[in-house]
Amino acid sequence: ASACKKSLPRCFSTSSGNVGASAAAVAKWPEHQLNIAHALKKSDERESFRYLSNQPVEALQGIGPKHAEELKSLNLKTVQQLADYKFFHLARAMTVLSTVEEEGGRLDNTLMNINKGLDKASEKKALKELIHQPVHILQGISPQAGETLASLGVKTVEDLANFKFCQWAESIVVAAKFEEEV
């Protein structure tokens, strides 16, 4: 294991119990070019997607102690929790669907709504208008949580949909599902 530590950041056991799987990965895929170096701290660049999913949010490039504390106040401590943040998913759904919304196109007696995700005052608005509203219109985001998100650069629903740390986290978690084990 000490030889592994010199050349690679971490040795781990595979499901078969072999130590040095990072070295095995290098030997198995020497020509692979896949990397996400601009999204990760240097110390985590060689890790598997599965490993990264369970790491603290600080594994992501740009999240230092201050941002980590802010995210922790929202109960977002790991990459997996950031990927699963329900308000990110709602904001992204609203933003994506706003691109196919037709102005004045709602038919009489239409049943679709997202009332369980919005404050009462916002329920009747069009998606194209909602995405430019402050994040606190999302039901469950307190004014304090809204301030915390604003300190991270997330002021509107659309900002939350495009929050790179949630996008990176979600992408890492999804990629982990397709990762071949060594």
Side-chain angles (χ1 to χ4, degrees):
S2 62
C4 187
K5 282 184 181 178
K6 289 178 186 173
S7 62
L8 298 168
R10 179 177 71 82
C11 291
F12 56 93
S13 298
T14 62
S15 54
S16 63
N18 296 330
V19 174
S22 291
V26 171
K28 186 172 183 177
W29 301 300
E31 296 181 14
H32 276 75
Q33 297 296 308
L34 182 148
N35 75 83
I36 58 169
H38 293 295
L40 298 174
K41 301 272 170 76
K42 284 281 181 214
S43 59
D44 290 315
E45 288 181 10
R46 287 189 172 130
E47 302 298 351
S48 70
F49 289 119
R50 284 191 181 108
Y51 176 83
L52 292 168
S53 295
N54 297 310
Q55 292 308 294
V57 293
E58 294 97 317
L60 299 176
Q61 186 70 256
I63 298 181
K66 181 178 183 250
H67 286 341
E69 278 303 311
E70 291 165 336
L71 290 168
K72 188 184 286 186
S73 75
L74 300 171
N75 202 29
L76 302 172
K77 300 171 196 150
T78 67
V79 171
Q80 180 75 55
Q81 289 171 331
L82 198 54
D84 294 339
Y85 190 43
K86 69 180 181 179
F87 298 112
F88 163 67
H89 289 278
L90 176 56
R92 191 181 53 191
M94 292 167 65
T95 301
V96 168
L97 293 174
S98 74
T99 66
V100 294
E101 185 176 59
E102 185 178 325
E103 190 174 330
R106 186 174 173 101
L107 302 174
D108 291 341
N109 302 317
T110 298
L111 300 176
M112 71 177 67
N113 67 80
I114 53 172
N115 293 351
K116 289 183 178 181
L118 300 173
D119 64 21
K120 281 282 187 215
S122 301
E123 290 177 356
K124 295 179 182 179
K125 294 180 180 176
L127 290 168
K128 288 181 181 180
E129 182 180 355
L130 289 170
I131 64 170
H132 300 292
Q133 299 299 308
V135 290
H136 69 263
I137 69 157
L138 300 178
Q139 196 173 97
I141 293 189
S142 68
Q144 183 180 3
E147 289 175 22
T148 299
L149 286 166
S151 74
L152 295 165
V154 175
K155 295 181 173 98
T156 68
V157 171
E158 187 174 32
D159 290 341
L160 182 53
N162 295 315
F163 189 44
K164 70 181 179 181
F165 299 118
C166 284
Q167 291 178 340
W168 292 350
E170 180 185 46
S171 298
I172 287 167
V173 169
V174 169
K177 295 175 185 176
F178 296 92
E179 191 166 57
E180 185 177 331
E181 288 189 45
V182 179

